[in-house]
Amino acid sequence: MRVLMIGAGGVGDAAAKIAVERDFFDAFVVADYDLARAQRTVAAATQRRAGERRFAAVAVDASDAEAVGALIRSTGATHVLNAVDPRFVMPIFTGTLAAGASYLDMAMSLSQRHPVKPFELAHVKLGDEQFAMAEQWSAADQLALVGIGVEPGLSDIFARYAQDNLFSEIDELGTRDGANLAYYGPDGEEAFAPGFSMWTIIEECLNPPVVWEKARAEAGGSMEAGFFTLPPFSEPEVFDFPEGIGPVECVQVEHEEVLLMPRWLDAKRVTFKYGLGEQMISILKTLHALGLDSTEPITVKGVRVAPRDVVAAVLPDPATIGPQLSGKTCAGMHVTGIGTDAQPRSTYLYHVVDNEETMREYGAQCVVWQTAINPIVALELLAAGTWSGSGVLGPEAFAAEPFLDLLSAPKPVGYGSPWGLQEVPPAPSSREVIAE
């Protein structure tokens, strides 16, 4: 296997540091628009293993599908890992198809901004542009494994595991993400800093969230009929996260899991809720009110610039905040329904990462590290032939056990990052009811 990773930001940097410990690939090329940044990632990864010669750094314009394809051919890459933000999904996706390689990403193609009115859905949802090309990938006998980060990614694998092993009937597959992370500025005072790309946070959280319900799908005669939107920050729910994180209020957010899981899993409802916190919600609402969430360029003193790009630029880089961050982050899947014993069941499958540990072992803050480990595990399963397929597939299309076993097995056999499972009280049955 020859891997080309496009993107040397926080997630890409962490992915390279994780990958260098493994032996399943022959080459790992790191590409970025900024060659110096790619070179820094390669240097940081290779110094972790004596005599390491499999890594190289190159420059690429990820917005240019032809340039991506040419780089794949020139490097002989068999697998392309997209580690840039979702604005560049489609050029990398199409460039990889044209060049004959396999493709993996951690965030899917963007939706069009959904209407705010509840129950109305834009005609382009997350991932729609990629799934529209599924037949081309199948015809070429190539694999595009989409959404294989932590969320989407590990959460989808938890859902597949629950369906295969824990439940006979599933009422809700509910991704629940929360943390007790705190960021301290240079003066030692607690301050605001996003754990990952602020550009992406704005995109996810200010788009009306999508929910899928089986009853709507059956009434409408198709899976697509099951999707509908809610207003941003809908259905607040206090979820008690494990391993000392504690209660965090979670709200509905637009996310890929809801668009992926109904394709392969059988549940009555699919949701995604994120523990944003009061401060983040307030900031996002203010940005929207001021128009600073816009991606449309405006002219400021003769310079064309998108307001959202300015917001992202003035905040601390998520790749560099690790030393000033403390606490843990948790990603998981809350599954409710009927267990294999025919009794009601409410189970949370989760993965907790401590920032102190990832900084000590990898020099990477916990949010980006938790995202980065999953595509590397997936690449190893593909290299071994444990996972295989063609077309555009989500993580839940594959058997979950091999992934979870490899993730949690102690090093050097596995990745030494265990996951957990606990029985939890079911979420409150009352929901915010919105009339059409």
Side-chain angles (χ1 to χ4, degrees):
M1 176 181 283
R2 297 179 65 85
V3 180
L4 168 62
M5 182 177 73
I6 301 178
V11 173
D13 194 71
K17 292 173 181 175
I18 295 166
V20 75
E21 300 176 348
R22 313 302 295 183
D23 296 323
F24 66 86
F25 58 89
D26 300 312
F28 198 108
V29 178
V30 180
D32 197 273
Y33 74 94
D34 182 346
L35 178 60
R37 189 161 75 160
Q39 290 171 331
R40 287 194 296 270
T41 290
V42 167
T46 54
Q47 71 179 6
R48 296 175 57 82
R49 188 170 184 174
E52 178 58 60
R53 298 182 181 277
R54 296 173 295 170
F55 283 69
V58 297
V60 71
D61 178 359
S63 68
D64 185 339
E66 291 188 3
V68 169
L71 180 59
I72 294 168
R73 297 183 188 95
S74 67
T75 58
T78 59
H79 292 72
V80 176
L81 172 55
N82 177 354
V84 296
D85 77 53
R87 286 174 289 181
F88 302 102
V89 162
M90 290 312 295
I92 300 174
F93 185 78
T94 55
T96 303
L97 175 62
S102 295
Y103 170 91
L104 298 87
D105 65 31
M106 293 165 273
M108 295 167 62
S109 60
L110 293 172
S111 64
Q112 292 182 357
R113 181 62 66 92
H114 302 309
V116 174
K117 183 179 179 182
F119 304 113
E120 291 187 2
L121 197 65
H123 68 280
V124 177
K125 304 184 298 301
L126 289 170
D128 273 0
E129 290 183 89
Q130 290 172 286
F131 281 111
M133 297 176 64
E135 289 186 5
Q136 296 177 52
W137 284 84
S138 295
D141 197 26
Q142 290 173 237
L143 171 64
L145 174 47
V146 296
I148 186 63
V150 61
E151 291 174 338
L154 184 56
S155 52
D156 304 69
I157 291 165
F158 283 148
R160 172 65 187 265
Y161 181 87
Q163 177 174 280
D164 289 352
N165 298 279
L166 306 179
F167 287 80
S168 60
E169 181 179 322
I170 295 174
D171 289 333
E172 182 168 342
L173 292 170
T175 306
R176 299 294 183 265
D177 179 314
N180 61 356
L181 296 171
Y183 170 76
Y184 297 90
D187 58 0
E189 296 293 323
E190 190 168 352
F192 174 77
F196 62 102
S197 164
M198 190 63 188
W199 195 99
T200 304
I201 291 172
I202 293 171
E203 178 71 16
E204 293 177 346
C205 298
L206 290 178
N207 260 0
V210 180
V211 177
W212 186 86
E213 290 186 350
K214 187 175 184 178
R216 288 174 175 270
E218 291 175 342
S222 71
M223 184 197 72
E224 290 293 317
F227 294 111
F228 64 99
T229 60
L230 296 173
F233 317 121
S234 287
E235 297 185 356
E237 167 193 338
V238 176
F239 193 86
D240 193 4
F241 288 92
E243 298 191 21
I245 294 175
V248 178
E249 185 177 72
C250 300
V251 295
Q252 294 274 12
V253 170
E254 181 195 40
H255 228 255
E256 288 92 340
E257 288 92 330
V258 178
L259 287 308
L260 285 170
M261 290 179 189
R263 295 175 180 272
W264 290 280
L265 304 178
D266 186 11
K268 295 177 183 176
R269 195 172 200 250
V270 183
T271 61
F272 180 97
K273 291 186 181 182
Y274 186 22
L276 291 173
E278 183 178 344
Q279 181 189 40
M280 176 66 85
I281 291 175
S282 176
I283 288 170
L284 288 167
K285 288 181 176 179
T286 301
L287 291 174
H288 180 62
L290 297 175
L292 294 175
D293 60 327
S294 174
T295 59
E296 293 298 321
I298 59 174
T299 300
V300 181
K301 296 183 177 180
V303 177
R304 296 282 289 171
V305 61
R308 191 187 300 186
D309 291 340
V310 175
V311 172
V314 299
L315 288 170
D317 182 350
T320 66
I321 65 174
Q324 295 155 279
L325 202 63
S326 67
K328 299 177 181 179
T329 186
C330 178
M333 173 57 55
H334 184 200
V335 188
T336 57
I338 304 299
T340 54
D341 60 358
Q343 298 300 310
R345 185 168 190 177
S346 177
T347 303
Y348 187 58
L349 301 90
Y350 65 89
H351 186 243
V352 171
V353 178
D354 190 321
N355 189 71
E356 181 180 347
E357 293 179 5
T358 59
M359 285 301 300
R360 181 178 63 249
E361 296 181 22
Y362 290 91
Q365 57 103 329
C366 59
V367 177
V368 299
W369 185 92
Q370 189 183 42
T371 303
I373 191 172
N374 298 289
I376 303 302
V377 175
L379 282 167
E380 185 158 348
L381 292 174
L382 292 171
T386 307
W387 277 7
S388 62
S390 62
V392 180
L393 302 178
E396 53 276 276
F398 299 88
E401 290 88 342
F403 186 102
L404 295 175
D405 289 347
L406 187 58
L407 175 70
S408 59
K411 295 178 181 181
V413 174
Y415 287 72
S417 188
W419 59 282
L421 181 155
Q422 66 179 25
E423 303 306 311
V424 299
S429 58
S430 61
R431 295 178 185 157
E432 181 179 356
V433 178
I434 303 170
E436 293 191 52

